[in-house]
Amino acid sequence: PAERARCLRAIQAGLRERAAALTDTIATEVGMPARMAAKVQVDGPLWHWGHFAELAERYAFSERIGHSVVYREPVGVVAAITPWNFPLNQITLKVAPALAAGCTVVLKPSEIAPLNAYLLAEAIHGAGLPPGVFNLVPGTGSEVGEALATHPEVDMVSFTGSTRAGRRVMQLAAAGIKRVALELGGKSASVVLPDADFAAAVKGTLSSCLLNSGQACSATTRMLVPRERVEEIGALAQAVLDRLRVGSAHDADSALGPLVSHAQLQRVEAMVARALAEGARVLARTERMPDGPGFFARPIVLLVQPTSEIAREEVFGPVLCVIAYDDEDDAVRIANDSIYGLGGTVWSADTARALAVARRLRTGQVDINGARWNPKAPFGGWRQSGIGRENDVHGLQEYLQTRSVQLPATPAAP
């Protein structure tokens, strides 16, 4: 563990030397404005590499339970298949704990945003890991991803991506009874109770919904509000969008960049068009859009029915769905009426009331009144949002196998 910790810190140092290149690369690949990418897409992963080094040093890899010794040992060869939206972060949350646990890793980064993984590979090479401990194999999911999920010498598959692709990974891995960790889609609800600070709730919900231009699995993309306050919500949302600047990822004034690809833009625009055709009403939208090149989607807030497609399926774009509810029980019912269960938020002037509602939501993580992100808290989903947890010790344990050894009784003294 001490040697593994040393290697992790050396990788962290190598990434720190490449921080500017990583920021520029990810801003170019993904479209997140560079000033935000530096903090979210680079600084966050850098912290995790150092933190998993600390965990490797202080984690109890063995313990005595009665006459048994329980060992926590590396699961073996890990296939890490990662997404494009937060590329380095999701790579880090798999590779760093796997290496801290003592596993070897084969990484397949997203073919849409692979270049940051090459910078990581350079940092890992410079850290002096033994050959074969870390392996980078680029390619598509249908070719490389499926080969890894079915390979007989792969012991575990850790995948982050869509629920559809996660279902396929699980099917393929099942043939070999491999361990599987899945971090999949979400349709997280922001539940605004009648006594909440509505201005703060709208600002906080839109901030989460629009992060990375809406290309985030845990984004709060459904906002549940009292039926009689819908128009007020619309006016507050319009005020937020009026101050929002959409532009190039390399423009220092941009708060929102382009989507990752033309295909993603087409998907978002098609879902919004279908929603409007089905009766959705525009509550707010951004009017000023950039003239320059880029796959820019117009940020929009729609009043929708809870059963509509856009209220139930991931959009992965800057679209917030507002849904009216009648009372607190109705709000909880709507929030839980989803195949997903990744994130959520509850807003109320009464923290105890908000916590009581949060406990009723069937989701892996809930924020109260927009509480800040905690990188040490376990992150992961319920239901079709996934299996397993990331971050801190919970992320480390995903890559450990448990063995117990029973010791013989000590003969009694004569």
Side-chain angles (χ1 to χ4, degrees):
E3 176 64 10
R4 300 201 292 268
R6 184 201 67 76
C7 290
L8 291 175
R9 288 196 176 93
I11 295 168
Q12 182 190 40
L15 289 173
R16 188 173 288 116
E17 293 172 359
R18 294 167 173 81
L22 284 164
T23 296
D24 182 70
T25 298
I26 294 173
T28 303
E29 288 186 303
V30 178
M32 178 180 281
R35 61 184 176 84
M36 188 178 298
K39 181 178 180 180
V40 175
Q41 302 268 19
V42 178
D43 288 352
L46 275 171
W47 181 88
H48 281 292
W49 281 97
H51 186 62
F52 280 113
E54 294 174 12
L55 281 177
E57 290 174 325
R58 61 180 168 85
Y59 184 77
F61 287 96
S62 65
E63 64 175 324
R64 186 73 178 260
I65 302 178
H67 69 286
S68 301
V69 181
V70 177
Y71 296 97
R72 296 177 181 87
E73 301 174 351
V75 71
V77 179
V78 175
I81 304 173
T82 58
W84 51 261
N85 57 336
F86 292 91
L88 182 62
N89 188 71
Q90 295 310 117
I91 289 171
T92 294
L93 291 178
K94 299 181 189 307
V95 177
L99 295 180
C103 298
T104 58
V105 179
V106 182
L107 168 66
K108 190 211 86 66
S110 169
E111 65 274 21
I112 297 173
L115 300 181
N116 63 94
Y118 283 82
L119 292 170
L120 171 64
E122 290 177 1
I124 291 177
H125 182 71
L129 269 67
V133 170
F134 172 82
N135 311 272
L136 175 63
V137 184
T140 63
S142 59
E143 185 177 13
V144 177
E146 295 206 2
L148 289 173
T150 56
H151 198 288
E153 293 186 16
V154 168
D155 299 288
M156 175 180 176
V157 183
S158 182
F159 171 83
T160 297
S162 70
T163 296
R164 177 193 57 78
R167 191 177 294 117
R168 176 63 175 166
V169 167
M170 196 170 188
Q171 290 171 341
L172 294 171
I177 318 295
K178 301 179 190 298
R179 180 180 294 190
V180 175
L182 303 172
E183 202 267 280
L184 308 176
K187 196 69 181 177
S188 301
S190 176
V191 180
V192 185
L193 298 179
D195 65 342
D197 180 337
F198 274 52
V202 169
K203 182 178 179 182
T205 301
L206 276 171
S207 178
S208 168
C209 177
L210 300 179
L211 178 65
N212 203 20
S213 298
Q215 299 168 128
C217 54
S218 60
T220 48
T221 53
R222 292 184 295 158
M223 190 174 190
L224 280 50
V225 304
R227 192 172 300 279
E228 65 276 10
R229 307 285 293 273
V230 166
E231 300 308 321
E232 179 184 351
I233 291 292
L236 290 168
Q238 187 63 62
V240 173
L241 295 186
D242 285 343
R243 296 191 297 270
L244 190 72
R245 181 178 174 85
V246 181
S248 165
H250 299 286
D251 185 339
D253 295 328
S254 295
L256 222 63
L259 298 185
V260 72
S261 67
H262 184 240
Q264 187 63 22
L265 176 61
Q266 288 181 310
R267 182 178 187 277
V268 171
E269 290 180 336
M271 290 189 74
V272 171
R274 287 197 298 270
L276 293 172
E278 292 170 3
R281 179 161 65 90
V282 177
L283 291 180
R285 65 183 173 188
T286 298
E287 297 300 336
R288 292 183 304 162
M289 294 292 287
D291 297 324
F295 306 118
F296 295 100
R298 186 182 303 278
I300 191 168
V301 179
L302 299 173
L303 177 64
V304 303
Q305 294 299 315
T307 56
S308 64
E309 175 202 36
I310 205 163
R312 304 187 71 82
E313 298 297 330
E314 269 196 315
V315 179
F316 241 53
V319 181
L320 176 63
C321 295
V322 172
I323 301 171
Y325 68 79
D326 295 318
D327 55 31
E328 189 174 294
D329 288 341
D330 191 36
V332 171
R333 178 191 63 78
I334 294 170
N336 288 334
D337 184 20
S338 173
I339 63 171
Y340 301 110
L342 189 55
T345 306
V346 181
W347 300 85
S348 173
D350 183 342
T351 301
R353 181 186 183 187
L355 181 59
V357 172
R359 293 291 303 275
R360 297 175 66 189
L361 301 183
R362 298 189 65 206
T363 186
Q365 192 168 68
V366 186
D367 305 329
I368 303 298
N369 291 333
R372 63 187 178 89
W373 173 256
N374 182 358
K376 294 185 178 181
F379 178 80
W382 291 19
R383 296 178 285 182
Q384 293 189 37
S385 283
I387 299 169
R389 292 295 179 266
E390 294 180 331
N391 292 344
D392 200 65
V393 69
H394 302 87
L396 176 66
Q397 289 171 340
E398 291 290 333
Y399 301 94
L400 294 172
Q401 191 71 276
T402 303
R403 181 205 307 277
S404 62
V405 176
Q406 282 62 252
L407 303 175
T410 304

